Amino acid sequence: MSLVIRNLQRVIPIRRAPLRKKVEIVRSILGVQKFDLAIICVDNKNIQHLNRIYREKNVPTDVLSFPFHENLTAGEFPQPAFPDDYNLGDIFLGVEYIFQQCEEGEDYNDILIVAATHGLCHLLGFTHSTEAEWQKMHRKEKLALDELNRRAGTRLQPLSRALF
Amino acid sequence: MLALLGCVPGALGPAVAGLRATAPPHPSTPPPPTRCASPGSVRRPGLLRPPGPCPCGCGALHTEGDKAFVEFLSDEIKKEEKIQKHKFLPKMSGGWELEANGTEAKLVQKVTGEKITVTFSINNSIPPTFDGEEESSQGQKVEEQETELTSTPSFMVEVIKNDGKKALVLDCHYREDEVEQQEEAESDIFSIREVNFQSTGDPEWKDTNYTLNTDSLDWALYDHLMDFLEDRWVDNTFAGELAELSTALEHQEGSFVKS
């Protein structure tokens, strides 16, 4: 139900209201607006720390997702038994890394939404460890972003498009 | 001493004579209680009663407790001077002008059409810390490390538009790290707690004006308020620099103990 946005870093200015507005649209497109979600913006130091602890990769990255419901099949909706379990989990956005990776002409705020959408798909069980899994995830991301583009007038492309 | 002996009644003569036959009292033995001739004026032993004025001639009262206190404060001042980062007050980025008045300070910024004032006090601005001794893997106790205390004052942001009769006031507080040992805290560096409108014409704060508490505020509206502050250079960078400035001010003001 609630979307919590937190900004723990000082490196990159964050516009919270537009981020919230677009993520709410993506939540509604994916049909998970009843679930709580947290988006936490962190800098390179913190995202690298998390990457090292949880994925044993000592480098910063763009997004890390921590699902509340683990082992979901890709695209499967959680079936909570209790009201407190209406929670998808946490998405950590490495906003400094995302900013540094922005190419010329790209809107940094748009890339944040793309990263958040990618993270949201991970929370719903999508992965991209194999080509087959990637295709499924890419399809889902594209569906969500195409609909967002239609509703919000944006021109966003999936984050996973270049992975395979 | 002679004056005190003059008060001893003659009836104690044989007892005093008997006492003279014993070994003289040890120098550290406190003087026996004396009784003056007038009834009801018994003097208690001098354990808790401070001695007379200090012979240094200043006329003030100097006790052993005062001496120990001064020694303790001297040590503390030396420690503070060691950890003091800034000899001068750090400057805030973004063109803020500082007006300091004792423990209260204001940062003022004027931009086209608006005056933004951030007011804070260094009093009670250092959150409590939990000192703890840790045991190393060898089981030996490690000495407590001297931790640097940071001042994180709550601050009031006042935004007045030019020719405006009203000021938008946002009461902001730093995140409270409730449990020191938790992993990365996942809350904003600072938060807006209350929002209020005040008339610029009134010198006094009006409690009767409506105050919006953000505890039950719609998240989207809260985000708009945070973006509003961000547009006026009150963001996480500002919060970090304000804590440094406040800590430096606190060091400065706290040095009153040197006097």
Side-chain angles (χ1 to χ4, degrees), chain A:
Chain A
M1 284 236 290
S2 63
L3 168 60
V4 170
I5 294 179
R6 292 283 178 257
N7 182 14
L8 272 56
Q9 53 81 46
R10 305 169 194 184
V11 185
I12 309 292
I14 299 292
R15 308 292 301 162
R16 297 158 70 119
L19 175 64
R20 170 179 295 276
K21 190 175 171 184
K22 296 208 173 80
V23 171
E24 291 280 25
I25 296 173
V26 173
R27 276 210 307 171
S28 144
I29 292 165
L30 292 173
V32 293
Q33 61 271 46
K34 275 193 247 182
F35 292 83
D36 291 342
L37 174 66
I39 292 182
I40 303 124
C41 301
V42 294
D43 56 19
N44 276 357
K45 182 182 162 199
N46 278 305
I47 200 91
Q48 181 171 341
H49 177 65
L50 290 169
N51 213 11
R52 183 173 65 241
I53 293 175
Y54 294 100
R55 297 177 69 228
E56 295 174 346
K57 293 184 179 179
N58 191 19
V59 288
T61 187
D62 47 10
V63 56
L64 287 173
S65 300
F66 295 86
F68 186 87
H69 300 275
E70 293 180 7
N71 304 318
L72 281 180
T73 311
E76 175 194 349
F77 269 24
Q79 301 293 329
F82 305 101
D84 282 351
D85 292 350
Y86 274 86
N87 191 340
L88 286 182
D90 300 339
I91 298 172
F92 280 79
L93 293 179
V95 296
E96 186 181 358
Y97 181 87
I98 291 170
F99 183 80
Q100 287 165 349
Q101 296 299 305
C102 262
E103 289 171 6
E104 204 171 314
E106 277 183 334
D107 185 332
Y108 162 72
N109 291 299
D110 284 348
I111 306 302
L112 277 188
I113 310 296
V114 171
T117 305
H118 184 87
L120 201 37
C121 289
H122 273 307
L123 294 182
L124 291 172
F126 291 94
T127 56
H128 44 73
S129 309
T130 66
E131 188 164 351
E133 286 171 357
W134 167 78
Q135 279 182 358
K136 237 178 163 176
M137 182 165 186
H138 179 76
R139 220 173 8 247
K140 192 69 180 181
E141 274 185 72
K142 193 158 182 0
L143 258 167
L145 291 176
D146 282 349
E147 180 59 21
L148 174 64
N149 291 339
R150 193 187 68 79
R151 292 192 201 183
T154 47
R155 293 165 69 176
L156 308 179
Q157 292 298 313
L159 199 66
S160 54
R161 69 183 184 277
L163 287 174
F164 271 91

Side-chain angles (χ1 to χ4, degrees), chain B residues 1-65:
Chain B
M1 180 60 86
L2 287 173
L4 284 173
L5 285 173
C7 288
V8 173
L12 285 177
V16 169
L19 280 174
R20 272 195 215 112
T22 62
H26 193 277
S28 63
T29 307
T34 54
R35 182 172 293 195
C36 282
S38 53
S41 63
V42 177
R43 283 188 185 177
R44 295 169 66 82
L47 277 175
L48 296 178
R49 192 159 53 86
C54 172
C56 76
C58 68
L61 189 63
H62 290 180
T63 66
E64 285 299 316

Side-chain angles (χ1 to χ4, degrees), chain B residues 54-259:
Chain B
C54 172
C56 76
C58 68
L61 189 63
H62 290 180
T63 66
E64 285 299 316
D66 288 346
K67 190 179 162 197
F69 189 27
V70 165
E71 279 171 13
F72 175 81
L73 285 178
S74 299
D75 284 342
E76 287 296 307
I77 289 167
K78 280 180 196 151
K79 283 178 196 168
E80 292 237 339
E81 282 171 350
K82 229 196 287 181
I83 63 170
Q84 190 173 0
K85 258 199 214 167
H86 306 282
K87 293 289 177 202
F88 305 100
L89 293 176
K91 208 163 164 46
M92 301 284 291
S93 61
W96 293 93
E97 287 175 20
L98 173 67
E99 300 167 11
N101 179 15
T103 57
E104 210 175 81
K106 277 188 188 178
L107 290 162
V108 184
Q109 173 100 251
K110 282 181 187 166
V111 292
T112 312
E114 281 184 6
K115 179 182 173 188
I116 303 131
T117 308
V118 178
T119 310
F120 64 98
S121 168
I122 60 168
N123 282 337
N124 302 312
S125 65
I126 296 183
T129 52
F130 299 96
D131 293 331
E133 289 180 350
E134 290 175 2
E135 289 193 13
S136 69
S137 55
Q138 284 79 30
Q140 291 173 340
K141 283 188 179 174
V142 178
E143 281 186 12
E144 282 181 35
Q145 287 186 349
E146 205 59 53
T147 52
E148 193 179 315
L149 299 174
T150 304
S151 168
T152 51
S154 56
F155 55 96
M156 201 92 85
V157 182
E158 192 181 61
V159 180
I160 305 172
K161 294 211 184 277
N162 285 356
D163 305 327
K165 292 176 186 171
K166 289 242 184 236
L168 174 63
V169 184
L170 300 104
D171 180 31
C172 303
H173 291 246
Y174 283 85
R175 157 186 88 207
E176 286 167 14
D177 289 329
E178 289 162 28
V179 180
E180 296 284 330
Q181 276 70 41
Q182 259 185 4
E183 290 182 2
E184 300 87 16
E186 291 177 11
S187 37
D188 292 318
I189 292 174
F190 74 95
S191 63
I192 303 168
R193 286 226 186 137
E194 289 183 351
V195 183
N196 188 288
F197 274 104
Q198 292 287 321
S199 295
T200 52
D202 289 330
E204 299 290 325
W205 179 273
K206 268 196 167 172
D207 286 329
T208 50
N209 286 2
Y210 180 73
T211 299
L212 175 67
N213 191 298
T214 59
D215 278 351
S216 51
L217 190 65
D218 174 64
W219 288 112
L221 179 52
Y222 182 84
D223 282 346
H224 277 293
L225 288 172
M226 288 295 275
D227 286 349
F228 175 86
L229 287 181
E230 168 109 19
D231 286 340
R232 284 147 186 84
W233 302 280
V234 180
D235 54 11
N236 285 346
T237 301
F238 173 87
E241 290 178 359
L242 180 66
E244 282 200 26
L245 171 64
S246 185
T247 304
L249 266 171
E250 205 277 338
H251 276 291
Q252 210 174 67
E253 289 299 314
S255 64
F256 83 93
V257 293
K258 287 180 187 170
S259 63

